[in-house]
């Protein structure tokens, strides 16, 4: 009898517990450490933070190896172009998805004005900043891979197999996004989570216009009419006007947010300044060389590492070749993304191409001076009058792009690679031992090797439209 009574009590307790769990199940089954309501200012911060990473930003080693700013000391496979496949999924999965979430929350009438949206700033500014960053990332990606998922991307489970868009269509939309986003910015409002410009909305406007000019120049050979229209309109809206406007990603004295080169130099020291770059600087007695490189431990001279060797000898090591200048390997280095010097060279090219009026020679000299000032050096007057530097109309494009290449050292090197592909300047040699798969400097990067399985039909359509999925295929705007 006693046992029967206890069983009844236990049964009633179980029924009560079960009813209680069922009644409040949705409230109980919430992870307190993972809020279902994303904080949009943190999403914007994270999207900006990814710019300085190797996986989803502009800091990958290829940015300095393709334009031959650096050369590998020991393992030379990257500078011999062994790597073919480069993964674009980290872009979609991190910064782009974060930005799309901000856009979605600020566009859905059920979430606009919600606390987790308002905390990040006004709706207009959150939308504008997110659109500018999306345009920046997508331009960077399409310039590396060519056709990529764009119009159907970032839809989550609703579209797991997005089509690859033609690069021409992507660029047309980038122009639209940058133009509309710049106009959308409310300079009297605010934006939180901005670790790029610290909430200065005027700088966001200038960067949007400058990026539009950058995009226009990329089309200089394939669609000069559209390029001219976009370039001139963007310039008229206002672009970076001094070195104080330079767009830089600021690494921190923090292992989780530090300069990738600093981390490499802690132990391995895989990279040195390249021999082609050192020789180019020495040929014009460039005062930036002592900033760009360290003298060798062995001789105290500046010695570049030969580019693309199959098997560097024992005499080539971190003591016999020049390592990167100390400022560039600092843990808290400021990585330039877009600079005033770059703008001046773009304006010089714009005048040469007849897109805007002005003095190309003056813009060219201003670009050199801005770069010198950026690195704390001053060039003597004779620097500007020597052969190889002195401006002349016959060699204008070569001079402008070469000095732009020098100024972009340890900055957004992918832009220098793009300039080389569209103009052929500076003259670069692939090195003595490129691997058999590719005999020249890459013209694009191949899609991640998972795409043929995960998004097979669209991958095949892209390859059929664009060309073989390898390093030799030209992207749409590369007609040289």
């Amino acid at each position: 009898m006693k046992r029967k009574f206890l069983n009844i009590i236990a049964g009633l307790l179980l029924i009560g517990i079960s009813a209680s769990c069922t009644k409040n199940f949705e409230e109980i089954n919430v992870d307190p450490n993972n809020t279902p309501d994303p904080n949009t200012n943190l999403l914007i911060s994270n999207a900006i933070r990814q710019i300085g990473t190797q996986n989803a930003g502009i800091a990958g080693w290829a940015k300095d190896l393709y334009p031959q700013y650096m050369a590998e000391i020991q393992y030379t496979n990257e500078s011999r172009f062994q790597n073919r496949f480069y993964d674009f999924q980290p872009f979609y999965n991190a910064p782009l998805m974060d930005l799309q979430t901000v856009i979605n929350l600020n566009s859905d009438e059920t979430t606009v004005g919600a606390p987790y949206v308002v905390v990040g700033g006004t709706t207009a500014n959150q939308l504008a900043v997110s659109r500018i960053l999306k345009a920046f990332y997508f331009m960077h990606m399409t310039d590396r891979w060519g056709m990529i998922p764009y119009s159907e991307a970032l839809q989550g489970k609703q579209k797991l197999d997005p089509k690859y868009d033609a690069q021409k269509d992507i660029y047309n939309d980038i122009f639209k996004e940058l133009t509309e986003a710049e106009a959308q910015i409310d300079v009297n409002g605010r934006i939180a989570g901005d670790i790029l410009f610290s909430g200065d909305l005027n700088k966001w406007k200038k960067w949007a216009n400058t990026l539009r000019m950058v995009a226009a120049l990329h089309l200089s050979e394939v669609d000069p009419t559209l390029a001219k229209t976009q370039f001139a309109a963007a310039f008229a809206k206002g672009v970076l006007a001094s070195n104080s406007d330079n767009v830089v990603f600021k690494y921190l004295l923090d292992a989780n947010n530090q300069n990738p080169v600093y981390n490499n130099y802690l132990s391995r020291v895989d990279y040195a300044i390249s021999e082609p770059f050192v020789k180019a600087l020495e040929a014009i007695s460039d005062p930036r060389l002592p900033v760009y490189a360290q003298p060798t431990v062995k001789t105290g001279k500046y010695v570049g590492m030969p580019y693309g060797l199959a098997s560097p000898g024992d005499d080539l090591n971190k003591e016999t070749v020049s390592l990167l200048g100390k400022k560039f390997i600092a843990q808290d280095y400021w990585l330039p993304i877009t600079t005033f010097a770059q703008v001046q060279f773009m304006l010089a090219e714009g005048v040469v191409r007849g897109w805007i009026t002005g003095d190309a020679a003056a813009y060219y000299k201003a670009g050199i001076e801005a770069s010198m000032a950026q690195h704390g050096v001053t060039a003597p007057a004779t620097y500007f009058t020597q052969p190889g530097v002195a401006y002349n109309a016959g060699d204008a494009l070569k001079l402008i792009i070469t000095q732009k290449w020098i100024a972009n050292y340890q900055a957004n090197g992918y832009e220098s690679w793009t300039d080389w592909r569209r103009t052929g300047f500076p003259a670069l040699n692939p090195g003595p031992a490129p691997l058999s798969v590719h005999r020249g400097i890459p013209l694009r990067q191949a899609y991640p090797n998972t795409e043929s399985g995960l998004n097979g039909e669209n991958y095949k359509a892209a390859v059929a439209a664009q060309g073989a999925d390898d390093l030799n295929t030209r992207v749409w705007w590369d007609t040289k």
Side-chain angles (χ1 to χ4, degrees):
M1 186 70 180
K2 182 177 180 182
R3 181 177 296 173
K4 184 177 179 180
F5 176 76
L6 291 174
N7 287 340
I8 292 172
I9 296 297
L12 290 172
L13 287 172
L14 286 173
I15 291 171
I17 292 171
S18 176
S20 175
C21 288
T22 303
K23 181 179 179 181
N24 301 301
F25 181 76
E26 291 185 359
E27 294 180 14
I28 294 172
N29 195 38
V30 172
D31 183 351
N33 297 315
N34 289 288
T35 175
D37 298 329
N39 186 317
T40 49
N41 68 321
L42 297 181
L43 293 177
I44 290 171
S45 295
N46 191 56
I48 294 171
R49 178 180 176 272
Q50 298 302 314
I51 293 174
T53 68
Q54 294 180 64
N55 291 330
I58 63 169
W61 300 121
K63 81 174 177 68
D64 294 310
L65 291 171
Y66 286 180
Q68 300 186 11
Y69 292 127
M70 299 194 311
E72 295 162 301
I73 299 175
Q74 298 181 70
Y75 309 107
T76 60
N77 290 346
E78 183 79 14
S79 54
R80 295 171 62 215
F81 322 125
Q82 179 184 45
N83 292 351
R84 171 186 167 192
F85 303 104
Y86 290 82
D87 193 1
F88 55 38
Q89 290 303 334
F91 288 94
Y92 290 106
N93 295 338
L96 288 173
M97 186 54 73
D98 285 347
L99 295 168
Q100 190 61 51
T101 300
V102 175
I103 291 170
N104 292 345
L105 290 170
N106 279 283
S107 303
D108 186 339
E109 61 181 17
T110 65
T111 54
V112 171
Y116 48 88
V117 176
V118 174
V119 73
T122 59
T123 294
N125 288 336
Q126 284 207 0
L127 284 169
V129 165
S130 297
R131 293 171 78 181
I132 293 167
L133 286 167
K134 270 187 67 179
F136 167 78
Y137 275 114
F138 271 122
M139 180 162 60
H140 170 79
M141 293 166 64
T142 192
D143 290 340
R144 288 174 63 181
W145 287 278
M147 295 179 68
I148 54 172
Y150 183 77
S151 60
E152 294 182 354
L154 306 176
Q155 296 184 38
K157 295 179 181 178
Q158 280 66 48
K159 193 65 180 176
L160 295 174
D161 56 345
K163 71 174 183 179
Y164 285 63
D165 291 82
Q167 198 172 27
K168 178 178 181 179
D169 296 333
I170 295 172
Y171 261 89
N172 283 334
D173 201 60
I174 285 173
F175 287 131
K176 171 183 142 333
E177 287 296 291
L178 289 172
T179 302
E180 292 181 359
E182 188 275 337
Q184 190 174 28
I185 290 175
D186 174 13
V187 294
N188 296 314
R190 66 188 184 92
I191 183 73
D194 176 13
I195 59 174
L196 192 60
F197 296 121
S198 301
D200 189 331
L201 290 160
N202 282 305
K203 287 190 175 182
W204 279 102
K205 289 176 78 73
K206 289 181 182 179
W207 193 38
N209 296 328
T210 304
L211 287 176
R212 194 171 155 202
M213 281 177 54
V214 171
L217 270 184
H218 291 182
L219 308 192
S220 60
E221 305 303 321
V222 71
D223 193 342
T225 302
L226 175 62
K228 176 181 179 179
T229 300
Q230 291 292 336
F231 188 93
F235 176 47
K237 295 289 288 183
V239 295
L240 309 187
S242 69
N243 274 338
S244 63
D245 284 337
N246 286 350
V247 185
V248 295
F249 180 84
K250 302 173 184 177
Y251 292 110
L252 304 177
L253 296 171
D254 167 7
N256 295 315
N257 299 282
Q258 67 188 11
N259 178 8
V261 181
Y262 166 82
N263 187 54
N264 181 269
Y265 267 45
L266 282 178
S267 55
R268 294 175 57 96
V269 190
D270 289 319
Y271 307 94
I273 190 169
S274 79
E275 182 178 67
F277 194 56
V278 168
K279 286 185 174 180
L281 295 172
E282 287 181 330
I284 54 176
S285 302
D286 200 293
R288 287 167 288 193
L289 178 57
V291 179
Y292 283 179
Q294 299 180 53
T296 66
V297 173
K298 195 81 171 177
T299 65
K301 297 179 180 180
Y302 294 100
V303 180
M305 177 69 195
Y307 186 83
L309 298 180
S311 301
D314 293 338
D315 58 327
L316 294 170
N317 55 62
K318 63 182 181 181
E319 294 187 348
T320 61
V321 296
S322 291
L323 304 183
L324 307 187
K326 291 183 178 180
K327 71 177 286 185
F328 305 103
I329 62 176
Q331 187 178 18
D332 58 347
Y333 174 55
W334 286 16
L335 173 69
I337 303 168
T338 314
T339 65
F340 173 61
Q342 180 184 344
V343 167
Q344 295 303 293
F345 293 124
M346 290 197 296
L347 293 175
E349 183 177 348
V351 173
V352 169
R353 293 185 180 277
W355 293 355
I356 58 172
T357 59
D359 186 340
Y363 282 131
Y364 168 73
K365 185 180 180 185
I368 297 173
E369 290 173 336
S371 174
M372 298 279 187
Q374 187 180 333
H375 296 294
V377 300
T378 303
T382 52
Y383 178 87
F384 297 95
T385 58
Q386 65 179 309
V389 177
Y391 184 85
N392 69 84
D395 286 329
L397 190 60
K398 177 182 178 181
L399 290 166
I400 292 166
I401 300 300
T402 299
Q403 280 291 338
K404 188 179 176 185
W405 172 63
I406 293 173
N408 269 346
Y409 175 71
Q410 290 303 303
N412 186 354
Y414 281 110
E415 271 303 305
S416 297
W417 179 42
T418 293
D419 282 340
W420 173 80
R421 286 181 288 167
R422 71 180 178 87
T423 69
F425 299 122
L428 299 175
N429 187 298
L435 294 168
S436 57
V437 219
H438 187 76
R439 288 296 180 184
I441 297 168
L443 301 177
R444 67 179 285 271
Q445 293 175 334
Y447 298 122
N449 54 19
T450 54
E451 277 297 283
S452 58
L454 296 176
N455 194 9
E457 290 304 312
N458 290 310
Y459 166 80
K460 291 176 185 175
V463 172
Q466 180 169 262
D469 187 20
D470 58 31
L471 306 179
N472 300 285
T473 298
R474 296 177 185 274
V475 297
W476 165 69
W477 49 254
D478 178 6
T479 63
K480 285 290 186 180

